[in-house]
């Protein structure tokens, strides 16, 4: 089940970042106050996604080995796609521009700007394609291990 990060968890992240003294961590303030926050230079933290499962509904796990974090900017041209593939390590994808479609068998999800999802090897093979009329930009954060590829293409041959 996908849920938003709780205010308490956001505070813990902020404390971990050394931001515990920032007044903007009071997330009970309406987002309409963002102009005021800009004027007073208060930091705004807006949770996007927290989950223990990927799009398939299955729990993910981290690969064993020397840990490595990756942040990728993936730009899909109009009509561009990634053919059938899997991911050996869990990742979070955040769409910053355009519209993409994620397809795994009969499960089809579409995502637009500001939306995010989690994908992992337990989910199985899937495709991703730009279905919009402009390039789509997706930021992908991967919790992997050194030497492990981010994506493994799946042969469509029998």
């Amino acid at each position: 089940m996908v849920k938003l990060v709780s205010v308490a968890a956001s505070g813990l992240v902020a404390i971990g970042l050394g931001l515990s003294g920032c007044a903007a961590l009071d997330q009970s303030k309406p987002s309409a106050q963002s102009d005021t926050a800009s004027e007073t230079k208060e930091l705004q933290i807006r949770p996007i996604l927290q989950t223990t499962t990927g799009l398939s509904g299955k729990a993910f796990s981290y690969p064993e080995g020397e840990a490595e974090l990756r942040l990728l900017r993936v730009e899909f041209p109009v009509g561009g796609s990634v053919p059938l593939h899997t991911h050996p390590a869990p990742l979070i994808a955040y769409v910053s521009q355009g519209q993409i479609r994620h397809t795994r068998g009969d499960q089809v999800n579409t995502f637009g700007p500001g939306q995010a999802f989690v994908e992992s090897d337990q989910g199985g093979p899937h495709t991703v394609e730009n279905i919009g009329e402009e390039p789509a930009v997706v930021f992908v954060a991967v919790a992997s291990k050194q030497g492990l590829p981010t994506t493994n293409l799946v042969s469509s041959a029998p």
Side-chain angles (χ1 to χ4, degrees):
M1 170 184 243
V2 175
K3 62 181 179 177
L4 289 178
V5 178
S6 69
V7 172
S10 296
L12 290 175
V13 169
I15 290 168
L17 293 173
L19 304 173
S20 58
C22 291
L25 293 178
D26 177 2
Q27 295 191 2
S28 62
K29 292 182 180 180
S31 59
Q33 292 183 356
S34 61
D35 289 339
T36 304
S38 295
E39 291 171 12
T40 61
K41 297 184 172 57
E42 291 180 351
L43 183 67
Q44 295 293 307
I45 297 175
R46 295 187 181 152
I48 297 171
L49 173 71
Q50 178 179 339
T51 184
T52 58
T53 63
L55 278 177
S56 66
K58 296 179 182 177
F60 55 84
S61 60
Y62 300 104
E64 292 187 27
E66 190 69 31
E68 179 178 82
L69 294 176
R70 302 176 191 145
L71 180 59
L72 311 168
R73 182 183 186 278
V74 181
E75 186 169 334
F76 291 79
V78 174
S81 66
V82 180
L84 198 61
H85 65 281
T86 61
H87 302 284
L91 60 81
I92 293 177
Y94 176 83
V95 180
S96 68
Q97 176 183 314
Q99 296 285 323
I100 63 165
R101 178 171 38 223
H102 179 287
T103 305
R104 176 186 294 107
D106 293 337
Q107 181 187 21
V108 178
N109 298 95
T110 58
F111 300 95
Q115 294 183 305
F117 61 92
V118 172
E119 189 55 79
S120 70
D121 64 335
Q122 287 81 7
H126 57 277
T127 61
V128 181
E129 62 185 314
N130 179 352
I131 58 170
E133 296 180 11
E134 66 176 332
V137 176
V138 180
F139 286 90
V140 178
V142 186
S144 192
K145 72 175 187 176
Q146 290 183 1
L148 191 65
T150 298
T151 303
N152 290 320
L153 295 179
V154 175
S155 171
S156 59

